[in-house]
């Protein structure tokens, strides 16, 4: 059943009349969501913590929901400021793609010693095609796509700012245990990109939540149950939207069958805020950062 829904959403050309997609902009979808109250006790004396991370400093401005169809799945409607979105997408593009982080294009030996993907792809028109070749970057523990096993010999320093962002969001959601950000995959999607249904089960600690943040073009996120036979639900993700997979949802099948074409994505526009060449890149790109804890504390 998951594969059937994935195929259906992959081939839709418009969101019009797609009432079966959960859209958190639409308050009539109350049957699918329950507002979640956040605690601001930790930040009573220092809202600068949130502001410095590019997050809205007034907790009352955050819109957070439990997704009723998928126990343990939490949706936060864009908690980032416009300045915050700009900061994080530039970090993903220009910084998280540098060594010692690993990229899918490493296998092709495209980059020479001392070269980085973003700088090289903007040198001249010939190198522009390099932009579209990047699909992912791994941070911290580097995910092995063949063995699906994390190793102490394949590990680099995890970005301090991304660790602090992840820990702060998890703490605001009142999870009982401190979250340790140890591994991340930054995915770079283009309008034709998809991510097939899968589960994230390589981590040794499967009780810790998984944090997923999206920037750029909107996309349809599909999440089912612990079996591909379970009926999935579709959620529309816009720039800044954040999902936390915890409890039962932590091991549910999920994927991305559709990234919306720029002409159909009326919710994302950096024209007045983002300088070139970042602006032109983000007009045809969706970035997803998913952060996870690998080890037991």
């Amino acid at each position: 059943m998951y594969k059937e829904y994935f195929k259906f959403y992959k081939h839709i050309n418009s969101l019009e009349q797609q009432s079966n997609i959960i859209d958190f902009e639409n308050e009539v979808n109350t049957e699918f969501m329950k507002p979640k109250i956040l605690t601001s006790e930790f930040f009573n004396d220092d809202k600068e913590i949130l502001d410095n991370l590019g997050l809205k400093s007034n907790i009352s401005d955050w819109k957070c929901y439990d997704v009723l169809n998928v126990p343990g799945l939490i949706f936060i409607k864009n908690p980032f400021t416009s300045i915050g979105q700009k900061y994080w997408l530039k970090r993903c593009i220009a910084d998280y793609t540098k060594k010692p982080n690993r990229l899918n294009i490493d296998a092709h030996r495209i980059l020479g010693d001392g070269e980085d993907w973003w700088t090289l792809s903007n040198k001249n028109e010939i190198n522009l095609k390099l932009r579209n070749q990047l699909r992912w970057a791994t941070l911290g523990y580097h995910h092995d796509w063949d063995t699906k096993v994390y190793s102490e010999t394949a590990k680099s320093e995890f970005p301090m700012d991304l660790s602090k962002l992840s820990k702060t969001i998890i703490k605001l959601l009142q999870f009982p245990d401190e979250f340790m950000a140890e591994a991340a995959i930054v995915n770079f999607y283009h309008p034709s990109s998809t991510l097939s249904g899968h589960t994230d089960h390589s981590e040794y600690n499967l009780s810790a939540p998984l944090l997923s943040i999206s920037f750029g073009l909107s996309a349809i996120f599909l999440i089912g149950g612990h079996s591909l036979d379970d009926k999935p639900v579709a959620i529309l993700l816009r720039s800044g939207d954040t999902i936390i997979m915890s409890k039962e949802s932590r091991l549910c099948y999920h994927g991305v069958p559709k990234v919306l074409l720029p002409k159909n994505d009326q919710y994302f526009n950096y024209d007045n805020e983002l300088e070139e060449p970042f602006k032109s890149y983000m007009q045809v790109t969706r970035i997803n950062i998913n952060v996870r804890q690998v080890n037991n504390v």
Side-chain angles (χ1 to χ4, degrees):
M1 186 172 284
Y2 184 96
K3 292 180 179 179
E4 292 175 4
Y5 276 85
F6 190 95
K7 185 177 180 179
F8 170 78
Y9 288 114
K10 179 180 178 180
H11 291 102
I12 67 171
N13 294 316
S14 172
L15 291 179
E16 293 181 7
Q17 298 180 339
Q18 295 296 330
S19 59
N20 50 347
I21 298 176
I22 300 176
D23 182 357
F24 286 89
E25 288 280 353
N26 188 350
E27 297 296 337
V28 301
N29 285 335
T30 52
E31 61 185 292
F32 302 111
M33 58 193 188
K34 178 182 178 182
K36 189 176 185 68
I37 306 301
L38 301 181
T39 177
S40 58
E41 293 178 5
F42 177 68
F43 301 99
N44 276 344
D45 300 323
D46 194 0
K47 289 189 176 182
E48 288 184 10
I49 294 175
L50 299 177
D51 189 58
N52 290 339
L53 290 170
L55 295 167
K56 296 172 183 175
S57 59
N58 191 341
I59 301 300
S60 63
D61 291 336
W62 288 40
K63 304 297 182 184
C64 185
Y65 304 91
D66 288 311
V67 181
L68 300 179
N69 303 54
V70 189
L73 185 67
I74 301 169
F75 178 95
I76 305 176
K77 181 180 171 184
N78 183 20
F80 295 89
T81 63
S82 59
I83 294 175
Q85 286 205 46
K86 180 179 176 180
Y87 172 84
W88 288 108
L89 68 87
K90 290 177 73 172
R91 283 285 280 160
C92 289
I93 295 169
D95 298 325
Y96 296 161
T97 53
K98 292 179 178 178
K99 294 302 175 187
N101 300 324
R102 297 185 179 182
L103 315 177
N104 66 293
I105 58 175
D106 290 344
H108 306 294
R109 302 186 182 278
I110 297 172
L111 302 176
D113 292 340
E115 289 185 319
D116 68 85
W117 162 78
W118 184 241
T119 301
L120 184 61
S121 67
N122 289 293
K123 269 190 174 181
N124 51 54
E125 290 187 8
I126 296 176
N127 290 334
L128 278 177
K129 64 179 183 180
L130 183 59
R131 285 193 190 181
N132 294 330
Q133 292 179 284
L134 184 68
R135 290 291 180 267
W136 52 259
T138 56
L139 324 176
Y141 280 94
H142 300 292
H143 183 72
D144 189 311
W145 302 92
D146 296 320
T147 66
K148 311 296 184 185
V149 175
Y150 290 103
S151 171
E152 293 295 328
T153 61
K155 177 185 176 184
S156 57
E157 185 175 355
F158 195 90
M160 187 177 298
D161 56 353
L162 184 56
S163 174
K164 190 170 184 179
L165 174 71
S166 305
K167 288 183 176 184
T168 299
I169 292 175
I170 295 300
K171 187 161 188 174
L172 274 169
L173 293 170
Q174 303 178 58
F175 279 89
D177 299 320
E178 183 180 1
F179 181 74
M180 303 299 295
E182 296 177 307
I185 302 174
V186 182
N187 292 299
F188 299 86
Y189 294 86
H190 304 293
S192 61
S193 301
T194 62
L195 179 64
S196 299
H198 66 284
T199 61
D200 293 293
H201 57 267
S202 299
E203 294 72 37
Y204 302 113
N205 185 339
L206 295 176
S207 62
L210 187 153
L211 181 73
S212 177
I213 306 169
S214 296
F215 297 112
L217 296 178
S218 299
I220 296 174
F221 175 71
L222 196 65
I223 181 166
H226 292 179
S227 166
L228 287 172
D229 294 329
D230 296 328
K231 181 180 178 181
V233 296
I235 299 174
L236 181 61
L237 296 180
R238 298 187 176 90
S239 189
D241 288 346
T242 300
I243 279 181
I244 294 88
M245 298 173 66
S246 67
K247 300 179 181 177
E248 290 182 37
S249 72
R250 178 62 179 78
L251 290 174
C252 286
Y253 279 91
H254 60 282
V256 179
K258 188 73 174 182
V259 176
L260 298 180
L261 292 169
K263 64 180 181 180
N264 294 326
D265 190 0
Q266 57 182 305
Y267 302 97
F268 176 72
N269 189 334
Y270 280 114
D271 288 351
N272 298 321
E273 301 173 11
L274 198 60
E275 64 274 17
E276 292 289 359
F278 295 100
K279 182 171 72 173
S280 59
Y281 181 69
M282 289 307 299
Q283 286 173 341
V284 290
T285 304
R286 172 185 180 248
I287 295 175
N288 175 256
I289 316 169
N290 59 84
V291 184
R292 64 279 308 277
Q293 178 172 324
V294 175
N295 297 305
N296 295 304
V297 178

